[in-house]
Amino acid sequence: MNTNSMGRFAIISDIHGNLEALESVLSSIKNDNVDKIICCGDIVGYGASPNECIDLILKELKISTIVGNHDYAAVNRTNIQFFNEVAKQAIIWTQKNLTEENKNLLQILPMTISEDSILFVHSSPKNPEEWNYILTMGEARLNFEYFNERISFIGHSHQPFIIEAEGKNLSCPSSLNISINPDRRYLINVGSVGQPRDRNPMAAYAICDLNKMSLKIKRVDYNIEHAQSKIIKAGIPRELADRLAIGW
Ligand code: ZN
């Protein structure tokens, strides 16, 4: 492994307290032979296993992690007034159930990581702390002007995409398994581990290989029923269990 380069690495995001999905993704990553894993935020919120997910990501595996809006909300650093009712109830449950030690770990997560000309940010390169979504090509175009790195990985919308920029021309490759062109820049949403919203219930994550110049968004099965039953048993709004089955 070249210590000056990111080499081959996995990117996970939006775990949202779904331990079953996280374990399944981590076991898949074991077979991907990566040098490193980076987490693009939202370890908690919605799911019933926030402490277990923090334990695994931050304590056991010591994965470099940036902060997401739900992580901040869980430690009262974001106003949840603008969260929808269901998300709000889940955050209140998470606040009550997180250990003090784990709250302290969420408090100190950075807003961005930049390494080897790659930017990792939860929401968007432009004003990350405003938690804006990138949902249109116009928003993507604007955001390319707010980072100098070659690639930016994001999460937040739970909908995976790859946007390729050749100068000012933006395009979406037809596949989520591409060769990285060294003359182009990329904005990549890696999708969500614990609550996919692209009508595919399988957990999503990405593998990027800067030696082979390849990038792939992968999907893996996990025990959805188990994650659902824990949400219902915890008294978290039932919609948050139901949506896992449809990936929306
Ligand atoms: Zn999220």
Side-chain angles (χ1 to χ4, degrees):
M1 176 186 163
N2 177 352
T3 50
N4 293 320
S5 162
M6 292 284 295
R8 181 173 167 85
F9 59 99
I11 313 98
I12 61 173
S13 188
D14 295 275
I15 295 87
H16 286 292
N18 187 337
L19 181 66
E20 291 69 27
L22 176 62
E23 285 177 334
S24 188
V25 162
L26 291 174
S27 99
S28 175
I29 288 173
K30 272 197 185 129
N31 299 320
D32 290 317
N33 294 313
V34 296
D35 304 316
K36 193 169 182 170
I37 305 173
I38 306 260
C39 175
C40 278
D42 274 0
I43 300 177
V44 306
Y46 300 135
S49 309
N51 285 307
E52 294 85 342
C53 292
I54 293 173
D55 289 347
L56 197 47
I57 293 174
L58 298 179
K59 293 183 198 160
E60 196 180 321
L61 299 172
K62 300 189 184 343
I63 291 172
S64 300
T65 299
I66 52 174
V67 73
N69 53 323
H70 286 251
D71 303 321
Y72 258 15
V75 293
N76 289 311
R77 288 186 66 166
T78 284
N79 192 339
I80 57 169
Q81 176 191 343
F82 300 109
F83 277 46
N84 68 48
E85 193 48 41
V86 163
K88 209 182 281 177
Q89 285 182 38
I91 282 297
I92 292 166
W93 181 91
T94 305
Q95 288 170 340
K96 281 193 197 133
N97 284 276
L98 277 181
T99 65
E100 281 308 308
E101 186 192 9
N102 283 344
K103 280 188 184 173
N104 290 337
L105 288 174
L106 294 182
Q107 290 273 7
I108 55 169
L109 296 177
M111 192 59 77
T112 59
I113 295 174
S114 178
E115 201 175 331
D116 201 13
S117 198
I118 299 178
L119 175 70
F120 300 90
V121 54
H122 182 68
S123 59
S124 61
K126 180 180 186 286
N127 304 330
E129 70 287 350
E130 290 182 3
W131 312 114
N132 294 318
Y133 291 92
I134 300 178
L135 298 170
T136 65
M137 278 306 221
E139 285 153 357
R141 188 179 304 284
L142 182 63
N143 270 276
F144 269 104
E145 292 171 21
Y146 284 83
F147 65 100
N148 295 314
E149 291 85 350
R150 181 157 43 130
I151 302 174
S152 176
F153 287 102
I154 64 169
H156 198 39
S157 72
H158 302 200
Q159 297 181 336
F161 64 67
I162 298 173
I163 298 174
E164 194 173 63
E166 186 181 14
K168 298 253 176 223
N169 291 329
L170 264 52
S171 61
C172 285
S174 56
S175 157
L176 294 179
N177 181 3
I178 64 162
S179 295
I180 299 168
N181 183 323
D183 300 323
R184 296 182 189 168
R185 296 173 68 223
Y186 295 86
L187 180 63
I188 295 151
N189 190 315
V190 299
S192 169
V193 170
Q195 196 200 77
R197 293 180 195 157
D198 60 344
R199 303 201 183 278
N200 176 354
M202 295 168 89
Y205 72 101
I207 295 288
C208 181
D209 191 321
L210 293 179
N211 302 319
K212 292 185 181 153
M213 295 296 272
S214 67
L215 179 106
K216 184 178 186 178
I217 311 250
K218 299 182 78 164
R219 304 305 284 257
V220 290
D221 275 320
Y222 72 96
N223 192 334
I224 293 177
E225 294 76 18
H226 196 198
Q228 289 177 312
S229 67
K230 279 160 73 177
I231 288 173
I232 293 163
K233 210 170 146 200
I236 296 167
R238 204 201 153 91
E239 297 97 300
L240 294 171
D242 293 342
R243 68 185 303 170
L244 296 179
I246 51 171
W248 189 249

